[in-house]
Amino acid sequence: MLRGLDARNPHGSHDRNTHELYFLRMQRAEEKMERLENRMKRRLRVCVATCNRADYSKLAPIMFGLKAQPELFELEVVVLGSHLIDDYGNTFRMIEQDEFDIGSKLHTIVRGEDEAAMVESVGLALVKLPDVLQRLAPDVLVVHGDRFDALALATAAALMNIRILHLEGGEVSGTIDDSIRHAISKLAHYHAVCTRSAESHLIAMCEDHSRILLAGCPSYDKLLSAHQRDDYTDIIKTWLGDDVKEQDYIVALQHPVTTDIKNSIKIYELMLDALISFKKRTLILFPNIDAGSKEMVRVMRKKGIEQHPNFRAVKHVPFDQFFQLVAHAGCMVGNSSCGVREAGAFGTPVINLGTRQTGRETGENVLHVRDADTQNKIYHALELQFGKRYPCSKIYGDGNAVPRILKFLQSIDLSEPLQKKFCFPAVRENISQDIDHILETQSALAVDLGGTNLRVAIISMKGKVMRKYTQPNPKTYEERIELILTMCKQAIADAVHLNCRILGVGVSTGGRVNPQEGIVLDSTKLIKEWSSVDLRAPVSRALHLPVWVDNDGNCAALAEKKFGHGSGVENFVTIITGTGIGGGIIQHGELIHGSTFCAAELGHIMVSLEGPECSCGSHGCIEAFSSGLALQREAKRLHDEDLLLLDGMSVNNKEQVNAVHLINAARLGNRKAEGVLHTAGTALGVGIVNILHTVNPSLVILSGVLAQHYVTPVQQVISQRALSSTRDIKVVTSDLEEPALLGAASMVLDYATRRTY
């Protein structure tokens, strides 16, 4: 009959297909509803992992919310990190006191006081976590924040195909925590953020907008409703003493900054000194477990803080009591995130020290002391902040974060593909550029501190000096630093109009330099007040650019390596012949600095036991014979003896006799002047022979104003006195006009573009 129906009704096939499609749609809808109902019937297994006392304050409200709805959620708790360490209060006990069943306790902290211990702790956690996660088999793992322990949790869960909900992603705090936090965000599948800015940051990081919940901070749910407890005076008395009144005490909590441990310990010591001088009762909490914490504790104990009558030093305070103490304090000082986040909800004045939280959004209650380099600065901040009250801020939440997060968890569809997708912005069509244009616009700011002049230049990738600035080198440290910054700022402003993108600052200076730290250890006599000078920090801080510093001789060698005769040469030596004698040694493509940063002090190679006195205090150094100062000394001696000037030569009464007069006299046939130059050239040649026999370079480059006068006698000495195996080594004069500036620039151009030397 169907065939007959089809024959009589040409539309029968279409009607049948329509009915079949309708049936299929209904069937799929029913299956989807059935899956949804089954998912609603099946409890969502949520694993909450907590690493320390701070993240538990954010996770505990969520854990209470999950526990309160057993028909919807099955809660598993994993405890690791500093929770299980006695030095940090064994804070896992407060989790047990809150009546949570701890499914697993993982001892993951490798004890130590440096960055390596944190790395080893992450590795230990990654070894232990797979068994736990496999046994618990959670649908979702909840991790918080930016701790190294949390990074281990997120890494393990992501590799084991477990969905991750990350709390407080997208925030900016200004330290290594940023890198860890953003790394966790990239591993996480879902995000619950505290602020609109954090949400925007995650979207900018290509996270899926539909998987980001703007919830607020879970800790606010509790503190906004509980900070007016009637028993807060009892809590204050318990922790600080019966004689302490509301708003008449300080809460201090300072953690190490792992990217700058030395400075953070210094700030901690200055904070303690300021608090001792301020003479207010202070509750001070021990720092967290990051690298540097043990040194902070040693500083605290060295100053007798635990026995001091004005201090109460504690390892841990229960969170509900800690919030009361912060809410009613006269001031909170340190660098804890609690100061810039939760304290704002109470209007408590806060002093944030250093860089650890400077990227955070804050209320007007926070006073930043980013460069906390003196006790007086911190003390003055205490005078400004102590006892004030500010409007309460709700930047980080309105007290309803937990209900939002629980609804968000319920909305997770476990049947969706686990692989997360990134929402990359549209990429504009590629526009090709000429390589010369790229090379010309990438530039370095080069600084050369000479004995007479201070010079700054903008130098392109090709080694072209785009613009140069010269001023007399000031005599004092303060004036010199001020002038360097002024000239650099002018050059940076001009670079915009020259279409130059400044990648960094390179500094060439006389004296012994530690290039790893950017510190001038010892200076030459020509540059006064220039020893134990940290050049990198003030210049980088003022210009917001990376800074490299090295000795002028080393810079000359780097200039030859990148722009001159040394390009492509594995082993060569550069010798500067100017006011003094210096140089640099390149071995196997690397600049040699030596164990105490005084390698390649070539001017102080001794070539005579009875020679003239050198500026270094010794006798018979190359510099005592061959430097510009040595030639000037000999010129003055000959002039005083009326043996320098020939017919047609004269010296103005106001003009000082110098090396130029000696060279001119020798060129005109003055035998005495010729003899001085010959001795100078021979001394330099003997020194170079010693260099050839020591490091065996394939090339010697003479640089500086006297190079052309010395190249011939140097070659003659080598041919007469060097071992036969080194006599054929090439000696050339440099073609570079600005070796010190070009060398300073080469440090920037090589490092900033990820090349090495």
Side-chain angles (χ1 to χ4, degrees), residues 628-677:
L629 286 176
L631 297 184
Q632 178 177 314
R633 181 194 67 227
E634 292 302 306
K636 187 176 184 306
R637 179 180 63 80
L638 292 175
H639 184 62
D640 291 344
E641 297 173 6
D642 291 328
L643 299 174
L644 179 65
L645 302 182
L646 300 175
D647 291 341
M649 289 183 63
S650 64
V651 177
N652 190 308
N653 290 334
K654 296 180 181 179
E655 186 179 9
Q656 186 178 8
V657 173
N658 55 41
V660 174
H661 296 106
L662 183 79
I663 292 168
N664 288 337
R667 186 181 297 115
L668 293 172
N670 185 319
R671 294 294 180 85
K672 295 289 186 181
E674 287 176 351
V676 170
L677 279 181

Side-chain angles (χ1 to χ4, degrees), residues 494-546:
D494 292 345
V496 176
H497 304 294
L498 294 170
N499 194 31
C500 292
R501 182 163 62 90
I502 302 298
L503 302 175
V505 182
V507 182
S508 166
T509 179
R512 187 165 64 98
V513 176
N514 178 346
Q516 299 168 4
E517 303 290 338
I519 295 174
V520 182
L521 301 173
D522 310 304
S523 180
T524 65
K525 290 184 178 180
L526 296 174
I527 308 178
K528 306 295 184 184
E529 294 188 22
W530 208 238
S531 295
S532 300
V533 173
D534 183 354
L535 266 181
R536 176 173 294 160
V539 175
S540 181
R541 189 164 52 239
L543 303 181
H544 306 291
L545 287 168

Side-chain angles (χ1 to χ4, degrees), residues 198-215:
E199 179 186 35
S200 299
H201 292 157
L202 285 178
I203 293 170
M205 290 163 61
C206 305
E207 294 298 310
D208 187 346
H209 196 173
S210 67
R211 295 193 172 194
I212 303 173
L213 171 69
L214 178 56

Side-chain angles (χ1 to χ4, degrees), residues 316-328:
H316 171 67
V317 179
F319 290 111
D320 55 343
Q321 297 182 41
F322 181 67
F323 288 144
Q324 299 299 315
L325 292 166
V326 171
H328 299 283

